[in-house]
Each structure stands twice: as structure tokens, then as C-alpha cells.
Amino acid sequence: GLLVLVSWVISVLNSLLQSLMVLRLSFCTEVEIPHFFCELNQVVGQACSDMFLNNMVMYFATVLLGLAPLPGILYSYFKIVSSICQISSIQGKYKAFSTCASHLSMVSSFYCTGLGVYLSSPAPQSSHSGAVASVMYTVVMPMLNPFIYSLRNRDIKRALKRIVGIPVI
């Protein structure tokens, strides 16, 4: 409960800070965001006034909120891998590593695309590539999550094979 509360409070405070930082910017009259939703770095990029302070706060928040948990995540994966290595049966190791691999692929894909969008905003890039990266971490990753974890279930695998037309043994 405490972890959820701390996470929620940090998220609200970050949103409040970023919103207040955007309020100090002035925008031109004809502004069109080349994106499919109003992401913070896209909104700040459209300002006519000096964006230096906003960019610094945005990068600091990205590094703090995105990279600060990384040592804890890496430590927990280290502990998981060391626990799996202590399993005596090869079949048990295979099952545990395959579960971890799917989870690790989802976490790393989400992390890389999310951090890439926010840390690459000053670099010249097409709006198309930024939109693709944003779709990856806001739509595709959460949508794939249930499929990747449910495919570990035998009943789901059998149903999928029946739908695709592969004979079920």
C-alpha cells in the first residue's frame, strides 16, 4: 500500500510541476502539434518563448523518475537469476528463464521507447518517428502484455492453435 501511495504522490507532483512549467510558456497563435496526442515534449516544443528551463526540468524529471528505479530493477533481476541458477533441474531452470525472458523483453521495450521519446526531444527527428515511439510505449506494449503472459497458459495455446488451424495434440 505504501509503495502505491508513494508512486501516486510522485506522479501527481510531477504532473503538477510539468503543468505549472508549461503555463509560463507563451505559444504562437497558429500551433499544430505533429502528433496523435499532446505529449509534454511535443507541447513544449511548440512554444515561442524560451524553453530552456522547461527542457531542463523535463530532462531532470525523466532521469530521476526513469533512471532512478533502474538499479533496483537490475538488482531484483540479479537476485532472480541467481535464485534460478540454484534450481537443480534443467527443466525447472528452462521454465523459470522463459518466464523471465518474456517479462524482461516487455520491460526493456517499454523502458527504451519511453526514455527514448523523452530524452531525444531536442535532437532533430521526424514527427513520424516520435509518434511511432510514443505509440510503442503507450499502446503497443500495454496491448501485448496480456498476450505474452497468457500464451504461457496451455489452454490459451490450445485455443489459439484451434483458431489458427494447427492440429491440437
Side-chain angles (χ1 to χ4, degrees):
L2 184 60
L3 284 174
V4 172
L5 179 66
V6 168
S7 175
W8 185 84
V9 168
I10 289 173
S11 299
V12 168
L13 290 176
N14 181 50
S15 298
L16 180 64
L17 173 66
Q18 299 295 346
S19 298
L20 292 174
M21 292 300 293
V22 169
L23 283 176
R24 61 178 283 284
L25 296 174
S26 61
F27 294 93
C28 303
T29 55
E30 295 295 322
V31 175
E32 182 177 320
I33 296 175
H35 222 283
F36 70 98
F37 69 96
C38 291
E39 198 161 26
L40 180 63
N41 58 349
Q42 297 292 324
V43 173
V44 170
Q46 299 298 319
C48 295
S49 58
D50 183 32
M51 304 175 294
F52 178 76
L53 185 60
N54 287 70
N55 284 331
M56 296 309 332
V57 169
M58 188 169 37
Y59 296 140
F60 179 74
T62 301
V63 168
L64 184 68
L65 300 176
L67 296 179
L70 199 57
I73 293 169
L74 293 176
Y75 176 74
S76 68
Y77 275 111
F78 171 76
K79 294 297 280 182
I80 291 169
V81 168
S82 65
S83 297
I84 291 172
C85 288
Q86 293 175 357
I87 296 174
S88 59
S89 73
I90 293 176
Q91 208 171 28
K93 284 182 184 181
Y94 173 77
K95 186 174 181 179
F97 272 125
S98 66
T99 301
C100 288
S102 62
H103 177 71
L104 188 58
S105 67
M106 290 301 294
V107 169
S108 61
S109 298
F110 179 79
Y111 242 84
C112 291
T113 54
L115 287 175
V117 165
Y118 283 99
L119 292 179
S120 69
S121 64
Q125 64 178 353
S126 69
S127 61
H128 177 71
S129 65
V132 168
S134 293
V135 168
M136 284 297 290
Y137 85 90
T138 58
V139 178
V140 175
M141 290 301 136
M143 192 173 71
L144 284 178
N145 213 358
F147 290 114
I148 287 177
Y149 291 116
S150 66
L151 286 177
R152 307 217 35 85
N153 185 328
R154 285 188 197 146
D155 296 332
I156 300 291
K157 284 182 184 177
R158 280 193 206 118
L160 185 62
K161 285 180 180 178
R162 263 188 256 129
I163 290 172
V164 174
I166 299 173
V168 178
I169 298 174

